[in-house]
Amino acid sequence: MEATTEHIFVLHEFIDGEARNWFHHHVLHTNRDKQDWTFKEVLIRLYNRFVNAATMQEAREAFQTAVYDAQMGVQTFYEELIGHAQNMAVYPDEFTIWETFLDGIPAEMHRTLICDDNLSPEVNTVTKFLAYAIRYEQSACTAMHYNQRSSLCAQGHRQPVKVGTFLAKRSEMDQNCNPR
């Protein structure tokens, strides 16, 4: 399909800020220098004018300095890395992604993936590391839940337990199961 002037006018709706001002001045304005633009020419000029080496450098730096956030999780961290990689001038190889991923996750998770799960960058893909890291987070969340629950019980704060159709305190259940 050949791009037409209609495509150029539609493009106008999808740009804003400085790019939109440039577009008005150089492509649409009645006193513009170049009268007949092709869609391809407009895209190339927009790219050359607004997507520059500094932008790609920012993407590389963002990729290298991405930080794992426990609130957001390992999946979000990985997606952030891939998002930055896609904006880089040269897409990083899988080893670089793997290395940045492992450097960015918590040390305990890193140790578990390599020592306990026997994962290795020479054998396993970064997506396999991601799958195991997600499993690690889920297990850690479950363990934290039960540790908090156990510490409440140890402090004497008994949680009601649903038995049949009524609620009973654990101490009452223990008494009923173990009569004196």
Side-chain angles (χ1 to χ4, degrees):
M1 178 175 142
E2 189 174 318
T4 64
T5 54
E6 290 175 17
H7 290 98
I8 294 172
F9 290 116
V10 171
L11 177 63
H12 172 260
E13 299 301 319
F14 293 95
I15 56 177
D16 58 7
E18 236 183 283
R20 190 177 186 113
N21 291 338
W22 178 91
F23 188 87
H24 277 280
H25 182 75
H26 293 280
V27 179
L28 297 180
H29 198 275
T30 56
N31 293 327
R32 63 188 180 267
D33 291 336
K34 181 174 172 62
Q35 292 300 313
D36 297 317
W37 287 87
T38 66
F39 183 67
K40 183 178 177 180
E41 289 172 330
V42 173
L43 287 180
I44 290 170
R45 288 287 297 272
L46 282 168
Y47 182 85
N48 289 340
R49 173 71 172 87
F50 297 102
V51 181
N52 55 36
T55 303
M56 293 179 193
Q57 176 69 21
E58 290 171 8
R60 187 176 67 78
E61 288 174 12
F63 175 82
Q64 292 173 336
T65 59
V67 178
Y68 169 83
D69 179 352
Q71 295 276 334
M72 300 304 291
V74 71
Q75 177 75 45
T76 301
F77 173 61
Y78 175 75
E79 290 169 1
E80 180 181 346
L81 285 177
I82 297 304
H84 293 311
Q86 290 171 339
N87 292 327
M88 292 168 60
V90 176
Y91 193 84
D93 59 60
E94 184 160 347
F95 186 81
T96 302
I97 294 171
W98 170 89
E99 188 176 51
T100 307
F101 176 77
L102 276 186
D103 288 346
I105 61 175
E108 179 60 27
M109 184 187 295
H110 182 214
R111 189 203 63 74
T112 300
L113 295 176
I114 291 177
C115 297
D116 298 346
D117 296 329
N118 297 317
L119 296 179
S120 169
E122 290 79 16
V123 177
N124 305 108
T125 64
V126 70
T127 53
K128 183 121 183 181
F129 272 89
L130 174 63
Y132 275 78
I134 290 169
R135 190 178 77 178
Y136 172 90
E137 279 184 333
Q138 291 168 344
S139 296
C141 187
T142 302
M144 186 172 65
H145 168 75
Y146 282 103
N147 286 341
Q148 288 173 346
R149 188 172 166 199
S150 294
S151 57
L152 282 175
C153 289
Q155 294 171 3
H157 298 61
R158 302 289 182 184
Q159 299 290 325
V161 177
K162 188 173 183 174
V163 179
T165 58
F166 68 94
L167 289 176
K169 289 187 178 172
R170 288 180 190 224
S171 57
E172 293 170 0
M173 285 182 57
D174 291 342
Q175 233 175 0
N176 293 337
C177 293
N178 302 319
R180 294 182 192 202

